[in-house]
Amino acid sequence: MAETYFEGIGRRKESTARVRVMTGKGAFIVNGKPLEDFFPRMGDKELIMSPLVDAGHKGGVDVSVMVNGGGISGQASAVRMGLARALVLMNPEVDRAMRNGGHLTRDPRVKERKKPGLKRARKAPTYTKR
């Protein structure tokens, strides 16, 4: 019999994460690697694990993640959101904790487009009077 899992999709900037949560011993695999190997930066692991801590599932679930696109911080935030959505599907009682923690809110900030006549999105060329 196939093991049942709950899937949540998280997005942030250009990153998309497909997160599967199932009951288990606490394994956390991201793109075939352990969490610590895929996200070695300080603070990323705490950000990703925050939905599990808020839901009280710290060691009781196995998590499998497929993430692509974007950069490191965008991917970490996408995994966090996907994990929160999957946990809500698994246990609807944690919905209030996920919302209060801000885990289910999509962060709308993306890179602003470059405007014509400017060097970047807002930086203007140096003004010279003479």
Side-chain angles (χ1 to χ4, degrees):
M1 183 177 128
E3 194 168 347
T4 59
Y5 60 85
F6 300 89
E7 188 169 72
I9 294 177
R11 292 185 184 90
R12 169 81 167 94
K13 292 185 177 181
E14 294 292 313
S15 303
T16 304
R18 201 171 75 226
V19 182
R20 290 181 175 179
V21 176
M22 60 211 87
T23 56
K25 295 179 173 38
F28 205 117
I29 307 298
V30 182
N31 287 2
K33 296 179 181 177
L35 176 67
E36 294 79 15
D37 293 348
F38 197 83
F39 291 108
R41 270 189 355 182
M42 208 159 74
D44 283 346
K45 184 180 178 216
E46 288 75 21
L47 178 83
I48 292 168
M49 297 298 273
S50 58
L52 284 173
V53 173
D54 289 354
H57 288 295
K58 189 91 165 99
V61 293
D62 287 347
V63 182
S64 171
V65 181
M66 291 297 292
V67 63
N68 56 12
I72 298 167
S73 69
Q75 287 186 348
S77 297
V79 171
R80 172 185 174 224
M81 180 184 214
L83 180 58
R85 285 180 170 176
L87 287 171
V88 168
L89 288 176
M90 186 176 182
N91 182 6
E93 296 167 6
V94 300
D95 183 83
R96 181 61 44 210
M98 294 296 115
R99 289 191 188 285
N100 289 343
H103 306 303
L104 295 176
T105 306
R106 165 77 157 88
D107 191 344
R109 297 174 296 170
V110 292
K111 187 172 176 124
E112 191 175 339
R113 69 174 284 267
K114 182 193 173 300
K115 312 320 186 285
L118 301 181
K119 291 183 172 182
R120 295 195 305 253
R122 295 176 186 237
K123 183 176 171 66
T126 308
Y127 174 75
T128 55
K129 193 166 184 176
R130 285 181 211 5

